[in-house]
Amino acid sequence: EHAEFIEKVLGEAGHDVETIEDGVGGLTRAREDQFDALVVDRMLPEKPGLQLVEEFRNGGGTTPALFLSALSDVDNRVEGLKVGADDYLAKPFAPEELVARVEALGRRQTNSEPPVTKLKVGDLEMDLLSRKVTRGDIRIDLQPREFKLLEYLMRHAGQTVTRTMLLEKVWNYHFDPQ
């Protein structure tokens, strides 16, 4: 339920949020994709958050990481920062502070590539900032869900996209892998 609350808070602040419920899955996803920031709980099942961040850093991962934890004494915070976290927020926390810290991590990111603001596949173009889609000289008006679907498909052009991937990424349906 904490993950759902965090997802809601960051989502309402305009962030795309992906929630992974365990440390093994979290490490796998952090390595597979490029994220603006990782928000990691120290007490995750299967692989503790400390181990997740440490292995991610040891493998060359550079995405900023924020620990969110009920373990709030100085030794715990220092330990989290020493394994590679960029910030540490103790529970309970104010939702606006979480948003501010995540946004600060995004500003500090020293990514040499500028963020992608336009997608192009053939003569189909999508401007992510103005939310405009054109094919040739013709503008295509899309509803928000249609825009999100097309964006996902354009980002994965030439790749196989499954129904499950679309349901999870575009419609935010999550399936239990068990």
Side-chain angles (χ1 to χ4, degrees), residues 119 126 128 146-155:
L119 301 176
M126 174 180 277
L128 299 171
E146 294 168 332
F147 187 90
K148 193 170 183 179
L149 173 62
L150 182 59
E151 177 186 355
Y152 187 81
L153 292 172
M154 289 178 77
R155 287 184 186 273

Side-chain angles (χ1 to χ4, degrees), residues 42-77:
R42 283 193 53 166
M43 294 182 278
L44 291 171
E46 296 184 39
K47 183 183 298 276
L50 283 175
Q51 188 179 348
L52 182 160
V53 171
E54 185 172 37
E55 288 180 22
F56 180 68
R57 293 290 184 238
N58 289 341
T62 60
T63 304
L66 167 99
F67 271 122
L68 195 59
S69 180
L71 302 174
S72 61
D73 66 32
V74 172
D75 290 339
N76 292 124
R77 294 192 312 258

Side-chain angles (χ1 to χ4, degrees), residues 3 12 20 37 82 91-92 119 130 132 142:
E12 287 176 355
I20 308 295
K82 282 190 173 188
K91 296 178 187 174
L119 301 176
S130 66
K132 291 181 182 170
L142 297 175

Side-chain angles (χ1 to χ4, degrees), residues 18 29 148 152 164-172:
E18 182 173 331
R29 284 298 295 134
K148 193 170 183 179
Y152 187 81
T164 301
M165 291 165 71
L166 291 175
L167 288 171
E168 288 183 349
K169 302 298 181 194
V170 178
W171 277 268
N172 292 320

Side-chain angles (χ1 to χ4, degrees), residues 22-167:
D22 65 85
V24 171
L27 180 59
T28 300
R29 284 298 295 134
R31 288 177 170 162
E32 286 176 348
D33 222 334
Q34 182 62 40
F35 295 93
D36 293 331
L38 305 175
V39 178
V40 181
D41 195 307
R42 283 193 53 166
M43 294 182 278
L44 291 171
E46 296 184 39
K47 183 183 298 276
L50 283 175
Q51 188 179 348
L52 182 160
V53 171
E54 185 172 37
E55 288 180 22
F56 180 68
R57 293 290 184 238
N58 289 341
T62 60
T63 304
L66 167 99
F67 271 122
L68 195 59
S69 180
L71 302 174
S72 61
D73 66 32
V74 172
D75 290 339
N76 292 124
R77 294 192 312 258
V78 169
E79 183 180 27
L81 295 169
K82 282 190 173 188
V83 300
D86 299 276
D87 200 356
Y88 197 107
L89 183 59
K91 296 178 187 174
F93 59 89
E96 53 273 7
E97 183 178 8
L98 173 63
V99 171
R101 286 176 183 257
V102 167
E103 290 172 354
L105 287 176
R107 285 192 304 271
R108 280 187 266 175
Q109 192 170 5
T110 57
N111 204 350
S112 59
E113 296 178 25
V116 174
T117 60
K118 293 187 181 193
L119 301 176
K120 184 172 171 82
V121 177
D123 66 344
L124 184 64
E125 294 186 42
M126 174 180 277
D127 186 322
L128 299 171
L129 298 176
S130 66
R131 302 191 66 81
K132 291 181 182 170
V133 177
T134 56
R135 178 164 217 136
D137 293 329
I138 302 169
R139 181 170 173 178
I140 302 169
D141 293 320
L142 297 175
Q143 296 296 318
R145 181 86 61 196
E146 294 168 332
F147 187 90
K148 193 170 183 179
L149 173 62
L150 182 59
E151 177 186 355
Y152 187 81
L153 292 172
M154 289 178 77
R155 287 184 186 273
H156 295 86
Q159 301 173 13
T160 302
V161 176
T162 66
R163 180 184 320 165
T164 301
M165 291 165 71
L166 291 175
L167 288 171

